[in-house]
Amino acid sequence: FGYPRQCLFSAVRQHLDEPITTYRGLCRLPSAMVQDLATMRRGSLLFWPAMTSTALDRSVAKEYANQPAPEGTGNVLFVISGVSEGIALRGVSQYPREGEFLLPLFSLLEVRDVLGTENPELRCKFVGSLMTEDFRQECLLDMQHAQQVCRVDGDATALLATA
């Protein structure tokens, strides 16, 4: 996704009635980064500035995080509880089995526990998105403007392709 699309998706994110747990496997991270993550303490904060794809199915993320890592790299599994906002993509995903769920821009996670050191599992709590309401409103206004331009030009596909 380009940044304008990420802003738009985050602006229209869903607020969930009941928090969910999602999973994210990262592989082939530099060993130093894996070590930094493995030594995080309870209460440490992680900031993910970009939209982040997660899975509702733990086995999908675990399979990804269990890929063989080349020398000098490692893998990490994130278990993210308390997710209260984002975008469910299961119905539109090319891979519906994964139960893809996008965390919004500027997501903040609090580390609750770290299991293991070589390929650690970080158990985190979703604190929320740090996207301000003013910025969200600006994104929604941009979307409304784009809709008006599309009505005038009649070519929504070309407009979205340039975003």
Side-chain angles (χ1 to χ4, degrees), residues 68-122:
E71 182 145 347
T73 68
N75 304 334
V76 177
L77 176 66
F78 290 88
V79 178
I80 307 163
S81 64
V83 176
S84 58
E85 57 186 314
I87 300 176
L89 296 179
R90 177 173 283 183
V92 296
S93 175
Q94 184 176 355
Y95 308 101
R97 165 184 98 73
E98 294 180 1
E100 187 175 5
F101 190 88
L102 288 178
L103 297 182
L105 284 174
F106 314 133
S107 287
L108 187 63
L109 308 177
E110 180 183 346
V111 175
R112 297 300 190 138
D113 197 13
V114 179
L115 304 176
T117 55
E118 190 173 319
N119 289 319
E121 176 178 309
L122 274 78

Side-chain angles (χ1 to χ4, degrees), residues 1-58:
F1 298 120
Y3 189 72
R5 288 187 185 135
Q6 286 191 33
C7 291
L8 174 61
F9 284 138
S10 287
V12 297
R13 66 189 182 269
Q14 303 159 325
H15 292 274
L16 307 175
D17 293 332
E18 293 289 324
I20 60 173
T21 298
T22 65
Y23 307 90
R24 168 85 178 179
L26 294 176
C27 62
R28 298 181 183 101
L29 296 175
S31 294
M33 182 181 288
V34 173
Q35 183 60 34
D36 287 346
L37 291 168
T39 57
M40 294 190 91
R41 298 178 188 262
R42 181 181 179 88
S44 298
L45 298 175
L46 287 169
F47 177 67
W48 285 352
M51 289 183 75
T52 303
S53 175
T54 63
L56 296 174
D57 183 342
R58 178 187 177 95

